[in-house]
Amino acid sequence: MPQPAYSDFGASYVARGFELAFQKGVRRYALIPLSINIVLFSIAIYFIFHYTSLWVADLVAWLPQWLQWLEIIVWPLIIIGVLLLFALTFTSVANIIASPFNSLLAEKVEERLTGVPGPDGGVAGMIKDIPRTLGREMQKLVYFIPRTLGFLLLLLFIPVIGQILWILWGGWMMTIQYADYAFDNHKVPFRAMRSSLRTHQGKSLSFGVVVAFLASVPLINLVMIPISVCGSTAMWVDHMHKQNLP
């Protein structure tokens, strides 16, 4: 296995994802999740620009009189929170639809980085594993939804701290969402995957926060699904592969 090239800071794996997603031999496997993402995020961008300013004004109006001085701080944080909410929502939908192709992409990236053929056998394996792959996406939703609602309440009712915690939670969600494809390809249980990511929490969280931020930036967000899959798979190969395989 090659020595890690991006070992010190998890966010650097986003750059690694950009590099890998458009390499020959990987590029064609990124096209389908990329196309799905472009369609769904085009819809998301319309709603973001149409409704965000109205929602931000309403949320700021909820501040009690004695906290009105926080408006200058809360305004940009709420904008980030609203954008992140859209990014997470549409990314979740896109990833459910694209999950079999994301798994195949992760397999091909790992194969390229390690030189070892993937465990699921390419397209035929992808088709066979569709029920398991979709089931894994449901596990993520069961994990995400109640916690997201809790952090959303903090976002609405605890100025500044709630927004910061919301951003960190969004980063953790993104890390789990994309890193899981490589883990699931090797049948690593969902709980064990989360435990492994927590072991590398600094790398995992910094990767996810950058992905979450870029997923809320128009145009850049259109390419983030395949880039995030590629980057998180490289992080798996460099730091978590040996620990999670027999």
Side-chain angles (χ1 to χ4, degrees), residues 17-157:
F18 272 96
E19 176 187 330
L20 285 166
F22 300 104
Q23 286 185 1
K24 184 178 179 181
V26 173
R27 187 167 52 238
R28 64 179 179 270
Y29 296 103
L31 287 178
I32 293 178
L34 177 61
S35 300
I36 292 170
N37 203 34
I38 287 173
V39 171
L40 291 178
F41 265 96
S42 296
I43 298 171
I45 289 169
Y46 167 78
F47 282 101
I48 286 171
F49 280 103
H50 189 70
Y51 291 107
T52 295
S53 61
L54 298 175
W55 290 351
V56 167
D58 289 342
L59 289 171
V60 170
W62 285 11
L63 285 175
Q65 188 65 35
W66 61 277
L67 286 177
Q68 288 296 316
W69 62 273
L70 284 174
E71 180 175 345
I72 193 172
I73 299 174
V74 173
W75 183 273
L77 289 175
I78 289 178
I79 291 175
I80 292 172
V82 171
L83 291 174
L84 183 57
L85 177 61
F86 269 104
L88 294 175
T89 301
F90 279 86
T91 297
S92 296
V93 173
N95 279 317
I96 291 171
I97 297 171
S99 58
F101 305 101
N102 289 340
S103 294
L104 180 60
L105 175 59
E107 179 181 306
K108 294 305 177 181
V109 170
E110 183 176 341
E111 183 177 325
R112 182 177 186 86
L113 293 175
T114 64
V116 178
D120 287 331
V123 175
M126 179 198 75
I127 295 171
K128 175 178 65 70
D129 287 340
I130 284 176
R132 193 196 80 242
T133 303
L134 292 177
R136 188 75 162 212
E137 292 300 312
M138 295 304 105
Q139 281 187 279
K140 294 177 193 176
L141 287 179
V142 169
Y143 176 78
F144 289 154
I145 289 173
R147 292 165 177 82
T148 299
L149 292 176
F151 280 101
L152 187 57
L153 290 175
L154 292 177
L155 167 70
L156 294 176
F157 296 110

Side-chain angles (χ1 to χ4, degrees), residues 126-234:
M126 179 198 75
I127 295 171
K128 175 178 65 70
D129 287 340
I130 284 176
R132 193 196 80 242
T133 303
L134 292 177
R136 188 75 162 212
E137 292 300 312
M138 295 304 105
Q139 281 187 279
K140 294 177 193 176
L141 287 179
V142 169
Y143 176 78
F144 289 154
I145 289 173
R147 292 165 177 82
T148 299
L149 292 176
F151 280 101
L152 187 57
L153 290 175
L154 292 177
L155 167 70
L156 294 176
F157 296 110
I158 305 180
V160 184
I161 294 175
Q163 279 78 21
I164 292 171
L165 291 175
W166 172 253
I167 291 167
L168 292 175
W169 169 243
W172 181 240
M173 286 177 65
M174 288 294 187
T175 301
I176 288 176
Q177 178 64 61
Y178 293 112
D180 185 53
Y181 293 112
F183 283 90
D184 187 42
N185 282 344
H186 291 278
K187 315 301 189 294
V188 177
F190 188 65
R191 184 184 295 271
M193 176 272 297
R194 300 196 324 264
S195 177
S196 182
L197 291 177
R198 281 194 294 269
T199 301
H200 301 274
Q201 193 167 38
K203 292 182 178 65
S204 299
L205 193 56
S206 63
F207 171 83
V209 167
V210 172
V211 169
F213 171 74
L214 293 176
S216 66
V217 177
L219 299 183
I220 294 177
N221 56 21
L222 298 178
V223 298
M224 284 311 298
I225 285 183
I227 286 166
S228 302
V229 172
C230 292
S232 60
T233 302

